[in-house]
Amino acid sequence: WWRKSFAWRRIIRREFVGTLERSETGRWAIKTEKGRLVEITSGEVIEIEVAGYWIRSRIEHDGRDYIAMVSGVRLYRGMKARQ
């Protein structure tokens, strides 16, 4: 039964692709092509595009702002991201 449950979760999972922007709350968010803002917070895993490659990374706060932990890249407005 768990395989069916796992497969079902994968089917209904949505992928959000867009650019990083600040939301009204001050958090980083992925702005989709349709203009929807999907907020991201510490601990979430997203992929960011660096030098033409998608890098999977966990988002954390370093005391000043959010960074992508695996790559050590500081997030910036307009960076391509997907979740």
Side-chain angles (χ1 to χ4, degrees):
W1 65 268
W2 69 271
R3 288 184 183 179
K4 289 181 184 177
S5 175
F6 178 75
W8 178 249
R9 279 190 225 127
R10 289 190 67 192
I11 291 171
I12 62 172
R13 183 180 174 270
R14 293 189 180 126
E15 180 178 77
F16 299 104
V17 180
T19 57
L20 291 178
E21 302 285 338
R22 291 282 187 174
S23 70
E24 291 178 3
T25 63
R27 290 184 174 164
W28 283 106
I30 298 173
K31 185 176 184 179
T32 66
E33 290 179 357
K34 294 182 179 181
R36 179 177 177 191
L37 288 177
V38 180
E39 284 192 348
I40 53 176
T41 59
S42 292
E44 289 195 59
V45 176
I46 67 169
E47 292 180 342
I48 56 172
E49 189 179 56
V50 178
Y53 295 95
W54 287 102
I55 299 173
R56 188 179 181 102
S57 190
R58 190 179 76 247
I59 302 302
E60 292 297 340
H61 199 277
D62 69 355
R64 292 185 302 159
D65 204 358
Y66 290 91
I67 60 170
M69 290 300 292
V70 172
S71 60
V73 173
R74 189 166 301 282
L75 304 182
Y76 62 87
R77 188 172 186 245
M79 175 183 268
K80 288 186 180 180
R82 66 185 179 191
Q83 181 182 38

